[in-house]
């Protein structure tokens, strides 16, 4: 009997579609059957995911020869807010990342400061629930270093990423627990394929949490908040897609 894993399912969806891809990750919500199947392959909840073993294992990394010639954009590709567009027009010279919440030393880090801090580069595969994948090269600040600089308090359990984009006025956000936050491959990426991260892919920073599906890789990260509960954010399910379309909070692959 062949086990139906989420990664295997994604590949089969892409092959079975004959190359036809939906316009954006939100379109998958139109298919309850696909959501049901994904749920069967997932089986993890906000509480039960903490029982998963080997959460520290690394996602596979690839060579430069494996990189995809095209890495498509999806979801929002340019936040509508005037503040964000002003920052983009100024090459994010005056932009700052806020790191706060349940921390001893709240931080405000400029992009110059972030790029001067120790960086990690990794070539990994991005798997989208639409059924497509791409391999790209990401360079950025390990999230662990930002959290260590802020001094996360013992009461914190999750990290919430507040983003510059929205859908019909609903702010985009995502979250992970501290196990994934401190994983060595979890980075705040400012570079992509040996270039500065482009706006379409989430400039100035996007989250890369490589052992989870694409919708967890939040773009346009403006604020990183350490919290003890997800209940007060959105509908309390831990992310925009989790709230609006019942996506799984832990999207492990």
């Amino acid at each position: 009997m062949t086990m139906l894993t989420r990664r295997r399912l994604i590949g089969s969806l892409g092959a079975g579609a004959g190359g036809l891809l939906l316009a954006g990750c939100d379109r998958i919500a139109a298919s309850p059957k696909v959501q049901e199947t994904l749920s069967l392959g997932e089986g993890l909840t906000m509480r039960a995911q903490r029982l998963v073993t080997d959460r520290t294992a690394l996602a596979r990394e690839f060579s430069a020869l494996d990189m995809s010639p095209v890495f498509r954009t999806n979801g929002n590709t340019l936040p509508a807010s005037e503040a964000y567009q002003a920052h983009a027009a100024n090459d994010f010279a005056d932009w700052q990342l806020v790191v706060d919440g349940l921390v001893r030393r709240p931080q405000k880090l400029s992009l110059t400061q972030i790029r001067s801090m120790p960086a990690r580069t990794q070539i990994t595969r991005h798997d989208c629930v639409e059924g497509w994948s791409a391999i790209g090269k990401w360079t950025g600040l390990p999230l662990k270093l930002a959290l260590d600089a802020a001094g996360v308090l013992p009461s914190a359990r999750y990290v919430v990423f507040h983003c510059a984009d929205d859908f019909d006025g609903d702010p985009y956000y995502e979250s992970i627990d501290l196990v994934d936050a401190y994983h060595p491959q979890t980075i705040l990426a400012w570079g992509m394929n040996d270039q500065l991260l482009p706006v379409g892919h989430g400039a100035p920073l996007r989250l890369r949490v490589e052992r989870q599906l694409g919708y967890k890789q939040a773009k346009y990260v403006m604020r990183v908040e350490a919290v003890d509960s997800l209940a007060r954010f959105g509908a309390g399910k831990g992310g925009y897609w989790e709230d609006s379309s019942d996506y799984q909070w832990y999207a492990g692959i």
Side-chain angles (χ1 to χ4, degrees), residues 33-54:
K33 186 62 178 178
V34 170
Q35 286 192 340
E36 178 184 351
T37 306
L38 286 173
S39 294
L40 289 173
E42 177 61 56
L44 293 171
T45 68
M46 196 174 296
R47 293 184 297 273
Q49 62 82 25
R50 289 182 177 273
L51 301 177
V52 177
T53 59
D54 200 20

Side-chain angles (χ1 to χ4, degrees), residues 7 10 14 21 26 34 46 52 82 92-93 98-99 109 120 134 147 175 180 187 197 202 205 209 232 237 252:
R7 187 181 292 275
I10 291 167
L21 298 174
D26 56 321
V34 170
M46 196 174 296
V52 177
E82 292 183 3
F92 302 101
V98 174
V99 184
L109 301 172
R120 178 185 173 93
L147 296 177
S175 66
D180 281 325
I187 65 174
L197 186 68
L205 291 180
V209 52
R232 63 186 175 88
K237 297 181 180 180

Side-chain angles (χ1 to χ4, degrees), residues 21 31 54 57 75 85 98-99 108 112 118 120 143 165 192 227:
L21 298 174
S31 175
D54 200 20
Q85 294 189 20
V98 174
V99 184
K108 288 186 177 181
T112 298
R120 178 185 173 93
L143 180 59
D165 55 333
M192 178 184 182
V227 303

Side-chain angles (χ1 to χ4, degrees), residues 84-95:
Y84 176 86
Q85 294 189 20
H87 280 306
N90 195 32
D91 293 327
F92 302 101
D94 301 320
W95 174 91

Side-chain angles (χ1 to χ4, degrees), residues 202-240:
L205 291 180
R206 75 173 295 166
L207 175 66
R208 296 300 308 176
V209 52
E210 301 295 355
R211 296 194 65 199
Q212 299 204 40
L213 285 172
Y215 65 85
K216 299 294 290 189
Q217 324 294 327
K219 301 194 293 185
Y220 313 112
V221 175
M222 302 289 121
R223 178 186 175 200
V224 174
E225 183 181 6
V227 303
D228 59 357
S229 170
L230 301 176
R232 63 186 175 88
F233 301 97
K237 297 181 180 180
Y240 173 81

Side-chain angles (χ1 to χ4, degrees), residues 7-247:
R7 187 181 292 275
R8 185 184 297 275
L9 173 62
I10 291 167
S12 66
L13 286 174
L20 294 177
L21 298 174
L22 299 178
C25 279
D26 56 321
R27 295 283 299 278
I28 201 71
S31 175
K33 186 62 178 178
V34 170
Q35 286 192 340
E36 178 184 351
T37 306
L38 286 173
S39 294
L40 289 173
E42 177 61 56
L44 293 171
T45 68
M46 196 174 296
R47 293 184 297 273
Q49 62 82 25
R50 289 182 177 273
L51 301 177
V52 177
T53 59
D54 200 20
R55 292 278 303 282
T56 60
L58 297 179
R60 180 183 176 186
E61 296 190 18
F62 297 82
S63 74
L65 294 176
D66 298 313
M67 291 168 58
S68 300
V70 175
F71 198 122
R72 61 179 290 187
T73 59
N74 66 323
N76 289 326
T77 56
L78 177 62
S81 78
E82 292 183 3
Y84 176 86
Q85 294 189 20
H87 280 306
N90 195 32
D91 293 327
F92 302 101
D94 301 320
W95 174 91
Q96 290 182 313
L97 173 71
V98 174
V99 184
D100 63 0
L102 296 176
V103 300
R104 296 181 178 88
R105 300 174 296 276
Q107 305 282 301
K108 288 186 177 181
L109 301 172
S110 71
L111 197 53
T112 298
Q113 288 176 305
I114 291 171
R115 290 174 183 165
S116 69
M117 295 172 73
R120 178 185 173 93
T121 295
Q122 55 204 30
I123 300 176
T124 53
R125 193 174 84 181
H126 179 103
D127 290 310
C128 183
V129 293
E130 291 176 343
W132 62 270
S133 298
I135 295 174
K137 184 177 185 179
W138 307 96
T139 299
L141 173 67
L143 180 59
K144 177 185 185 301
L145 298 184
L147 296 177
D148 286 347
V152 175
L153 294 172
S155 55
R157 296 177 60 199
Y158 307 97
V159 176
V160 175
F161 303 90
H162 301 272
C163 304
D165 55 333
D166 68 87
F167 285 90
D168 297 323
D170 291 328
Y172 195 93
Y173 80 101
E174 254 305 339
S175 66
I176 55 178
D177 72 356
L178 292 186
V179 175
D180 281 325
Y182 283 98
H183 190 280
Q185 290 175 313
T186 300
I187 65 174
L188 296 171
W190 48 258
M192 178 184 182
N193 296 347
D194 295 318
Q195 304 289 328
L196 292 180
L197 186 68
V199 168
H201 283 284
L205 291 180
R206 75 173 295 166
L207 175 66
R208 296 300 308 176
V209 52
E210 301 295 355
R211 296 194 65 199
Q212 299 204 40
L213 285 172
Y215 65 85
K216 299 294 290 189
Q217 324 294 327
K219 301 194 293 185
Y220 313 112
V221 175
M222 302 289 121
R223 178 186 175 200
V224 174
E225 183 181 6
V227 303
D228 59 357
S229 170
L230 301 176
R232 63 186 175 88
F233 301 97
K237 297 181 180 180
Y240 173 81
W241 292 114
E242 293 90 326
D243 290 342
S244 64
S245 302
D246 289 327
Y247 281 24

